[in-house]
Amino acid sequence: MAAIVFTAVLSVVLDFSTLDWSLTNGNATLKTKGQIPSSVHMDLLAAGIIEEPYKLYNDVNQRWITKENWTYSSTFNIKRHARNSLTLVAEGVDTRADIRINDKLVLSTDNMFTRYEVLVDHTVLKDEGNHITIKFFSPFWYAQNQADTYPNPPSDGIPPGCPPASYNGICHGNFMRKEPSSFGWDWGPAFAPSGVYKAMYFMENETPLQATMRVKKGDQDWNLEVLLTKTEKEIATLTVIGSDGSTKATHTGIESVINLSVQNVSTWWPRGYGDQPLYTVTVVVGTQVLKKHIGFRTVELVQDETLDMSGRTFYFKVNGVGVFMKGANFVPADAFETRVTHDRLEDLFNSFYDANFNAIRVWGGGVYQQDYFYDLADKHGILLWQESMFACAMYPADDSFLSSVEAEITHQVNRLTHHPSLVVWSTNNENEAALVQDWYGKTSPAENPEYTDMYRNLYWKTILSNITSLDDRPVLASSPSAGWKETEANPVLSECNDDNNGDVHYYDYTSDCWDVTKLKSPRFASEFGLQSWSSYESLQSVAADSDLAWGSAWTQQRQHCDPNNCGNNAMKAQASLHYRWPSNFTDQIYMTQVQQAYCIRVQVEHHRRNRDAGPHTMGTLFWQANDAWQTVSWSSLEYNTQWKMLHYYAQLFYADMMLSAHIETEEYQVMAVNDRGIEVGGLAQFKLYKWSGGNPYTWVVPFSVEARESVMVEKGKVNDLIKQNDCGAAAECVLYYSLTEDSGHVTYENFLLLDSPKLSITLGNPNLRIQNVVQSGPRSYQLTIVGERNAPFTWLSFLPTNREAPAPVRWSRNGFLYTTDVPIVVTLECNEKLSVGDVAARTMIRSLGSLS
């Protein structure tokens, strides 16, 4: 269960999570125990009425749950002295529900993203035996009814209607203010759950304390603006305290708007650019106490004319320093929000940090994340691109819908604005592009301007105007966008998704991903990616053994991407361009991860090399960081936070100091890319290996690269290079390279394939094995790997003891180039204490040459 964190403390009269709840379906034929916070699915699972929703075909077979109405019921007592003024606070209700106390309707909800407060009259309550019901209306039928009864719709309705058939989804999700992806997406299931998923409680105050905090830079100091919700004459005491316990500022008064000058504080920086000092702001009003952590930093979106006059830049400055944003897109971590625990979020953010991310885009098709998510981003220095929850659809724009959205945006901006990690808002995901490219037919601005008017009213006049009135951060009208060109008068532009302005999304499943000439060179790449399957260990936790085969009914049902565009065939085709396609399913999974990791590496490094070139690329966020269930998707992390090969590769291609090698027009080029704020010098060492083994051809090149720049280190013709070690053909050799900085430490190493491995006649089975295991810590082990030949994409996996819930493990490196001339020692970190014999027995080693 997700932890309950109250906005204000010491004035909670009744926490509804402490009650005994019952859950009943619409016709009362099913009754069981319920919880708050929870969801209907999770309570039915806890009662043993359904099995794990992610297993087998349950995303479809359990559709009956979302087609039913459900009611939570309980009783409670309230002491007489506390009954005069009670405020019911519901932090998150998903979604359409009626709450009744003693048969009196006290609250109707229709927006899961809004915090509800309602004063419950004392005449409604009794000392003992109060009866409360929360009736949830079927999302399946409610969404359908909203679509059917929408007043004065456009002649072609409000598309898309239903999601693509491959999603196995639910129709008309755009008519509810509910997680869009809960109706099905190309990476996730359609459960559309119902339930109170955040805290719900009674407070004795008519005006529960809330505080909106904004930090602004003055000429000499910082200004902290605090907006309080309290009664007019209540006295508020505010203090700002540093991590060392020192008081930075104080204030006492009856004002509801406090402007406080704060001096002698350290600035907050994104990861890789400085530290992340946080300060605690405490507000006390009567018996209510509220605490928030803030950071002091500035942010601006720079969209200046480029020197070549081709367009404008698109990048972010933090504290006046341009930041190259490196990271990925975040989707909901679970289809059921109450399963997203603090531990789970910590695992995710540790994975982001350890893979050298400095940015995450909170995608607009999911949910506004829980408070702890943003706290972790502040702590780790992860910049957040926060979208409003509108994605890949047209939406209603009637007064009732817009009013609900306005309340949603006001709540979310006020809730999140104090977080220094949040640097940019975006009003939606891909909805401008959908109009421009006429995704749904007859919605293009030229053919049907009514849709443009609806778009303007929702995103410009409601969301964007509301955000800008509450916060001074940059706001994007959409993503992708045309950047500075978009205005309220012209909100939908053909230049949307243009390489020369704004940000771009791009997916190419058919071109050779090794060919850099086919790649985009945008100002900012906010979405791009390729699919891979989750590990066999992950899949077997939700599938039968007979399902675990390429092309089985289950793998086709789990694959939600349109087979005419991407999906299993596209993965196989992309991999087959350069590798031999194996026959065994575990090897096929491995091969999808190989092609994904190497392809995304090629794209990311292309972006990073271009930071100082004509394109001025200053951001690369691949799709996607994480998974909501065990599946095939674009993610680098599996559902249980196990790293795919892509995430290990991200650790390298997002390193703050790296060497980047690629081949273009038969020439290999190696560049040094430096994201640090200081000049870096050192030696680049190169080794040309034959697959068959033997001594490599070795040479060293000294180099120096200025702060936050890139420079060419080495280049030459591939055909000339392979002669140095008698390779015979480029496919028979591989180029290894490493970086030794002036400090004397090797800080980076990687390899470049000179031609397709499938063309090689010497890339045989290296017979990799574990020579030795040594325990190096309470739950860490060092493994020495030996083999007979050089081996690319050497992959270590660890067999779980619990098929139902495989625990993630972490390797110090993975997917690497094994070479026979240097001892290879890899460290395993796991969540259980094992013998060295167990470690050796449960570790599997795979490489390109060992596939079936």
Side-chain angles (χ1 to χ4, degrees), residues 364-547:
V367 297
Y368 305 93
Q369 294 298 312
Q370 59 182 269
D371 292 338
Y372 195 57
F373 178 97
Y374 301 92
D375 292 340
L376 288 170
D378 294 342
K379 173 185 174 182
H380 289 288
I382 305 295
L383 301 176
L384 297 178
W385 171 317
Q386 176 66 57
E387 299 198 327
S388 302
M389 295 301 124
F390 299 85
C392 300
M394 299 298 100
Y395 284 84
D398 59 288
D399 291 344
S400 176
F401 190 87
L402 295 180
S403 176
S404 178
V405 170
E406 184 174 1
E408 166 191 328
I409 297 301
T410 299
H411 165 60
Q412 295 296 342
V413 173
N414 287 339
R415 178 174 77 97
L416 300 176
T417 190
H418 68 281
H419 288 284
S421 57
L422 201 163
V423 293
V424 60
W425 302 95
S426 174
T427 73
N428 70 79
N429 170 77
E430 296 184 349
N431 291 343
E432 180 184 1
L435 284 175
V436 169
Q437 299 166 13
D438 196 14
W439 287 5
Y440 315 113
K442 300 183 181 179
T443 61
S444 68
E447 288 189 59
N448 197 333
E450 186 174 6
Y451 288 106
T452 300
D453 291 338
M454 294 172 68
Y455 182 94
R456 180 186 294 109
N457 289 337
L458 176 56
Y459 299 114
W460 283 84
K461 292 186 175 182
T462 303
I463 299 177
L464 192 147
S465 65
N466 203 353
I467 294 175
T468 55
S469 72
L470 297 170
D471 194 17
D472 61 359
R473 287 175 176 83
V475 185
L476 305 178
S478 185
S479 178
S481 70
W484 65 277
K485 290 187 175 184
E486 292 162 337
T487 64
E488 184 177 319
N490 294 290
V492 180
L493 300 177
S494 60
E495 294 95 330
C496 171
N497 215 29
D498 172 35
D499 282 1
N500 296 319
N501 295 282
D503 67 306
V504 305
H505 299 185
Y506 71 95
Y507 296 88
D508 185 347
Y509 301 108
T510 56
S511 297
D512 182 353
C513 72
W514 288 21
D515 186 352
V516 295
T517 66
K518 300 290 180 63
L519 301 178
K520 279 182 171 286
S521 299
R523 304 293 189 234
F524 196 113
S526 51
E527 271 195 37
F528 59 96
L530 291 166
Q531 285 191 320
S532 71
W533 275 94
S534 293
S535 65
Y536 189 90
E537 293 75 25
S538 180
L539 297 178
Q540 72 173 357
S541 69
V542 293
D545 289 340
S546 58
D547 294 326

Side-chain angles (χ1 to χ4, degrees), residues 188-394:
F191 288 106
S194 295
V196 177
Y197 74 104
K198 290 188 176 181
M200 192 171 87
Y201 46 93
F202 267 141
M203 298 184 68
E204 61 185 352
N205 306 80
E206 293 187 20
T207 308
L209 175 63
Q210 294 187 79
T212 300
M213 301 179 186
R214 304 185 182 99
V215 173
K216 296 182 181 179
K217 184 73 172 71
D219 293 334
Q220 302 296 326
D221 54 11
W222 295 85
N223 180 69
L224 172 61
E225 181 186 62
V226 182
L227 284 69
L228 300 176
T229 58
K230 67 180 187 65
T231 58
E232 183 178 349
K233 295 183 180 180
E234 285 182 306
I235 297 174
T237 300
L238 184 151
T239 59
V240 181
I241 299 176
S243 59
D244 60 355
S246 61
T247 300
K248 299 299 180 181
T250 62
H251 174 87
T252 300
I254 63 171
E255 304 96 321
S256 293
V257 180
I258 300 170
N259 283 284
L260 194 61
S261 176
V262 185
Q263 299 177 335
N264 301 318
V265 294
S266 299
T267 49
W268 183 97
W269 291 91
R271 185 196 191 286
Y273 289 75
D275 296 328
Q276 295 80 43
L278 296 172
Y279 296 80
T280 302
V281 181
T282 302
V283 181
V284 180
V285 177
T287 61
Q288 300 186 84
V289 180
L290 182 150
K291 290 186 178 182
K292 292 187 177 183
H293 301 290
I294 64 172
F296 295 90
R297 63 102 186 93
T298 62
V299 61
E300 60 181 309
L301 172 58
V302 182
Q303 298 186 86
D304 292 338
E305 193 84 43
T306 58
L307 293 177
D308 61 6
M309 306 298 285
S310 62
R312 295 200 182 186
T313 61
F314 186 98
Y315 70 95
F316 297 89
K317 280 187 176 180
V318 176
N319 301 323
V321 176
V323 175
F324 192 105
M325 290 174 68
K326 305 176 292 189
N329 287 263
F330 190 86
V331 303
D334 203 290
F336 305 99
E337 276 298 307
T338 54
R339 292 210 287 201
V340 183
T341 63
H342 284 191
D343 286 347
R344 181 94 159 274
L345 289 175
E346 288 171 4
D347 286 346
L348 287 165
F349 270 90
N350 288 336
S351 292
F352 301 155
Y353 187 88
D354 292 345
N356 296 310
F357 285 27
N358 67 13
I360 283 288
R361 175 173 173 251
V362 183
W363 170 71
V367 297
Y368 305 93
Q369 294 298 312
Q370 59 182 269
D371 292 338
Y372 195 57
F373 178 97
Y374 301 92
D375 292 340
L376 288 170
D378 294 342
K379 173 185 174 182
H380 289 288
I382 305 295
L383 301 176
L384 297 178
W385 171 317
Q386 176 66 57
E387 299 198 327
S388 302
M389 295 301 124
F390 299 85
C392 300
M394 299 298 100

